[in-house]
Amino acid sequence: MRPSFRHALSATAAQAAIAYGYTLTIWSSGAVLIDIDGKPRVVDVFLFIAGAVTAFLLVELIATSGLSDSESTGSRKGTGSRKGTLVTGSLTVISAGVAVGCATIVGEILSGDKIWPLASFAATLAYLMLAGTQLWLSERLTE
């Protein structure tokens, strides 16, 4: 049996949902920082990248610590059910909004070179933790 177009579209949306939310988060965070701090220098761009990558690594460490190799590999194969991921994607406005809010707070409180890595770190950490929590909750509620 071939899947319907709607089924294929649903699968595509589910697979893109969390990455789409993160794209909105990181772009919006950078835009907010530009508004607060002005045009970034090249070093600021790399600091922004470093902050976001560091947050990703921290979340990865938290998510996989204490797991066996097979558990860690198995958890990467799927990101939850399609329905749970779609619910999470529909709540992107919450996780992305909070994450951009975190970046904004960092930008407003700090100044200079510190805001670029710390704001991207805060936005990435907030988004991943909230999106992960939303996915976990939606999986529990849609079972």
Side-chain angles (χ1 to χ4, degrees), residues 55-116:
F56 246 97
L57 293 173
L58 177 63
V59 170
E60 181 73 17
L61 183 64
I62 292 167
T64 60
S65 66
L67 296 179
S68 68
D69 286 343
S70 62
E71 288 174 315
S72 177
T73 304
S75 67
R76 292 173 185 267
K77 289 181 183 175
T79 56
S81 72
R82 183 179 354 220
K83 188 173 183 179
T85 305
L86 281 172
V87 169
T88 301
S90 68
L91 297 174
T92 291
V93 68
I94 296 169
S95 50
V98 169
V100 173
C102 290
T104 303
I105 290 168
V106 169
E108 291 290 347
I109 292 174
L110 301 176
S111 62
D113 292 344
K114 294 178 281 215
I115 72 166
W116 294 95

